[in-house]
Amino acid sequence: SGHLDGFSDPMCDCKETKLRYRADQLFASPIVLKETSETVGWVCIQEANDADMLKAAKKMAKKIMKENGHKGKEIEGFNFRDLTEVTEEEMAFIPSPGSGSPTLTMPRDFNLMFQTNVGAMSDASSVAYLRPETAQGIFINFKNALGTSRAKIPFGIAQIGKAFRNEITPRNFIFRSREFEQMEVEYFIPPGDDVWQPFHEKWMQESKDFLLSVGLREDLMGWDVHEGDGLAHYARACTDITFRFPFGEQELMGIAARGNFDLTQHTEGSGKSLEYYDEQSKERYIPHCIEPSLGVDRLILALICSAYAEDEVNGEKRNFLKFDPKIAPVKVTVLPLLKNKEQLVSVARELYDKLKMRWNVSWDASGAVGRRYRRADEVGTPFCITIDFDTIEKDAGVTIRDRDTTEQIRLSMDEVIPYLSEKIDGY
């Protein structure tokens, strides 16, 4: 697959603290005096959102200027560059975040493959690597999938599973980790320079539509087109959908045009032809593919960031998660008005047992109803159902409260499941 030679990130080491950093996640800027345009030092900070980076840079610059006898002087605006873009001469003045002194090495490639050994012996013959992406299983099984499904190009194969990367600096909660859940589609298309671009653009739009449909905020999303050295070793084009997290704008989903790199590599490595016979054009060719790739953990983090909301209810501040009902972890909370009234509890329990056969629902019988509503709001539960005395004495149905509007409606027992099904599942 080419990953052993080409799958790497740029890395810098601090020679004093022995800490290791990703070079493209450290940003340096000269400290330039406004009056004389003289460079009196450098700042070097770790990647974060713009406000936090500026705050950290100002704090570091203030300290450096005081040490160099320039306290109180005005400086020009920072011109940040990541450490992959600095020269060796500049690196000699850039302080390490760990030591505060210019003790960083120049960036060098760090292989992201997770190495392990298979079998009883730990020698060169037993070396193996945990997969860095799920895609290769699809390419290896391309011939089997083609033969058993009788699919005709264009068609796609989707997969979800664990992937592993030997990250230099895992950070930012579940955004960057060494073990993560990944879902990918390999969408196989005919070859030709004029063929892949329309498919690539179509998948870019459909990928964004999918992310919007599950609840991501469009105002926090953006695009990042990879060019030149920014492309992976297998890609002829790649565009990322980015998301503005609290710690800065980061890649969320990549849509790559992989060409026929992978099927060609596996053909050469195995000696088995992975060509496709096109019955319409009467040609044999190795298909090209478009690959939308998404980290599930990153998506969950983006969903939480998009869903977080604050408002005011009856004069009180409320924090809640505004999940779309179809992706909310808990769909409904069932609340008997009083937990010590057997009639209320039994009716509520019967409804709860019916609902949990279709959705993930919760039961909450402790405390005031208002407080229970708040608990449900905080975990993003879209609907709360209250069983009260009118339910059992007047056969007046139940109260269903909407999380977002806090409005309440009354429905009969027979109407509850059809109402929830339409709201949650869309039918």
Side-chain angles (χ1 to χ4, degrees):
S1 67
H3 283 83
L4 199 55
D5 296 324
F7 196 61
S8 59
D9 276 337
M11 173 192 70
C12 289
D13 285 319
C14 176
K15 290 178 279 190
E16 185 174 316
T17 64
K18 309 305 180 188
L19 293 174
R20 184 165 281 175
Y21 304 95
R22 267 185 61 166
D24 57 351
Q25 291 175 0
L26 288 183
F27 289 80
S29 171
I31 305 169
V32 182
L33 296 180
K34 187 171 283 189
E35 186 177 349
T36 62
S37 297
E38 178 189 358
T39 298
V40 295
W42 285 73
V43 296
C44 182
I45 55 175
Q46 294 197 53
E47 181 183 45
N49 61 51
D50 292 345
D52 288 346
M53 286 176 66
L54 187 59
K55 182 179 178 182
K58 284 180 176 179
K59 184 178 178 181
M60 182 178 286
K62 185 177 179 181
K63 180 183 176 185
I64 291 171
M65 289 178 65
K66 182 180 178 181
E67 292 172 351
N68 294 345
H70 298 287
K71 182 180 179 182
K73 293 183 180 179
E74 282 193 70
I75 62 173
E76 294 181 3
F78 296 111
N79 180 26
F80 290 117
R81 288 176 290 155
D82 72 57
L83 295 194
T84 63
E85 300 176 5
V86 302
T87 65
E88 196 164 351
E89 291 75 19
E90 290 171 328
M91 187 67 92
F93 299 99
I94 295 173
S96 164
S99 67
S101 304
T103 55
L104 290 171
T105 64
M106 285 298 290
R108 63 185 190 278
D109 286 340
F110 175 80
N111 196 287
L112 295 176
M113 298 288 282
F114 239 125
Q115 183 174 319
T116 187
N117 294 90
V118 179
M121 301 295 290
S122 294
D123 54 22
S125 65
S126 67
V127 171
Y129 299 89
L130 303 182
R131 65 181 183 183
E133 60 177 8
T134 63
Q136 297 307 317
I138 296 175
F139 295 122
I140 289 172
N141 284 288
F142 171 74
K143 202 76 171 176
N144 286 341
L146 190 65
T148 55
S149 66
R150 301 171 64 206
K152 299 191 185 307
I153 284 179
F155 74 94
I157 302 175
Q159 179 166 288
I160 184 171
K162 290 288 185 188
F164 305 85
R165 295 183 184 176
N166 193 13
E167 290 286 354
I168 302 165
T169 51
R171 58 199 294 244
N172 293 328
F173 191 36
I174 58 173
F175 177 79
R176 193 180 304 283
S177 55
R178 292 188 171 115
E179 177 185 341
F180 55 95
E181 200 79 20
Q182 187 180 37
M183 50 189 185
E184 296 182 303
V185 176
E186 302 304 330
Y187 192 74
F188 297 99
I189 60 173
D193 291 336
D194 59 338
V195 175
W196 67 267
Q197 290 180 344
F199 283 107
H200 191 234
E201 289 170 7
K202 177 175 180 285
W203 272 103
M204 285 166 56
Q205 187 57 53
E206 291 190 357
S207 297
K208 184 178 180 181
D209 291 344
F210 163 72
L211 294 174
L212 292 172
S213 75
V214 296
L216 258 60
R217 283 172 47 187
E218 188 168 13
D219 61 306
L220 298 178
M221 296 166 65
W223 298 97
D224 179 28
V225 179
H226 293 219
E227 295 176 335
D229 293 340
L231 286 170
H233 64 278
Y234 51 73
R236 60 194 308 176
C238 183
T239 299
D240 289 341
I241 298 175
T242 62
F243 186 84
R244 196 162 70 249
F245 292 95
F247 45 82
E249 189 168 0
Q250 300 283 350
E251 171 198 348
L252 176 64
M253 180 176 187
I255 303 96
R258 293 182 76 125
N260 63 0
F261 174 85
D262 298 276
L263 291 180
T264 300
Q265 289 290 102
H266 287 297
T267 296
E268 293 174 357
S270 66
K272 300 289 184 181
S273 173
L274 295 177
E275 288 184 324
Y276 170 81
Y277 178 69
D278 192 317
E279 293 180 358
Q280 286 188 326
S281 66
K282 307 301 180 185
E283 292 180 294
R284 287 189 178 275
Y285 55 78
I286 294 180
H288 289 217
C289 75
I290 306 295
E291 178 197 72
S293 177
L294 176 60
V296 181
D297 311 71
R298 290 184 179 188
L299 176 57
I300 297 300
L301 188 57
L303 285 169
I304 293 172
C305 294
S306 294
Y308 180 78
E310 296 178 353
D311 67 2
E312 197 171 283
V313 177
N314 299 325
E316 290 185 10
K317 183 181 176 182
R318 177 176 71 137
N319 304 321
F320 66 106
L321 292 176
K322 204 171 181 178
F323 286 130
D324 187 294
K326 63 176 169 283
I327 62 101
V330 181
K331 311 296 186 190
V332 182
T333 296
V334 178
L335 317 170
L337 187 63
L338 298 172
K339 66 178 180 181
N340 57 357
K341 294 294 182 181
E342 180 58 35
Q343 282 182 293
L344 289 173
V345 172
S346 63
V347 172
R349 183 63 71 176
E350 184 180 350
L351 177 61
Y352 170 79
D353 289 340
K354 286 181 181 177
L355 294 177
K356 75 178 184 181
M357 295 176 71
R358 296 192 59 165
W359 301 291
N360 187 30
V361 299
S362 67
W363 172 273
D364 193 349
S366 301
V369 170
R371 189 170 295 173
R372 286 185 263 171
Y373 284 158
R374 292 292 182 275
R375 287 200 289 259
D377 293 343
E378 286 174 353
V379 297
T381 305
F383 304 103
C384 289
I385 301 179
T386 305
I387 289 79
D388 55 22
F389 287 105
D390 285 348
T391 306
I392 58 175
E393 293 175 357
K394 300 179 182 178
D395 195 22
V398 298
T399 299
I400 300 183
R401 172 188 177 270
D402 183 275
R403 173 200 62 210
D404 299 341
T405 64
T406 71
E407 292 179 358
Q408 301 182 21
I409 61 171
R410 198 136 192 123
L411 292 178
S412 69
M413 283 290 193
D414 292 340
E415 295 175 303
V416 170
I417 289 180
Y419 173 83
L420 292 175
S421 181
E422 195 276 326
K423 293 289 185 181
I424 296 169
D425 302 321
Y427 58 87

